Amino acid sequence: MGDETVACLRRDAGLYPEDARLSALVGEPSVRSEEFRRLWADHQVREKTHGVKLIHHPLVGEPDFGCETLSVNGAPDQLLVAFTAPAG
């Protein structure tokens, strides 16, 4: 599990401290993964706003797609995620 993923999860855990499903989601890897415990103990907090997604597709292979995440005004729990395909 990557440091960026854990930092994003920590952000959500801070926003929704009473969410039992989120607590359970954090609890399982905390018990099973030394790497997760180490990353969680770093207390890094991040918001995922952009990046690259690798898609495994049986016909076209593994293209990388650009990814942008945008907040929706007036709906703080909703995000719009836009993917851009590489040329060709």
Side-chain angles (χ1 to χ4, degrees), residues 9-79:
L9 184 59
R10 181 173 275 288
R11 175 190 173 273
D12 289 343
L15 289 172
Y16 308 102
E18 303 300 320
D19 188 318
R21 291 181 302 167
L22 185 54
S23 294
L25 181 65
V26 171
E28 184 175 341
S30 294
V31 172
R32 297 177 184 228
S33 170
E34 177 63 36
E35 180 183 10
F36 182 88
R37 286 192 298 274
R38 180 183 55 78
L39 293 171
W40 191 258
D42 283 345
H43 296 280
Q44 296 294 314
V45 175
R46 283 192 204 135
E47 183 174 11
K48 180 74 171 169
T49 58
H50 66 281
V52 176
K53 297 289 184 187
L54 176 64
I55 306 295
H56 300 282
H57 191 282
L59 298 178
V60 297
E62 297 183 343
D64 291 336
F65 288 89
C67 175
E68 297 288 331
T69 304
L70 308 167
S71 298
V72 178
N73 288 337
D77 288 338
Q78 293 185 19
L79 301 170

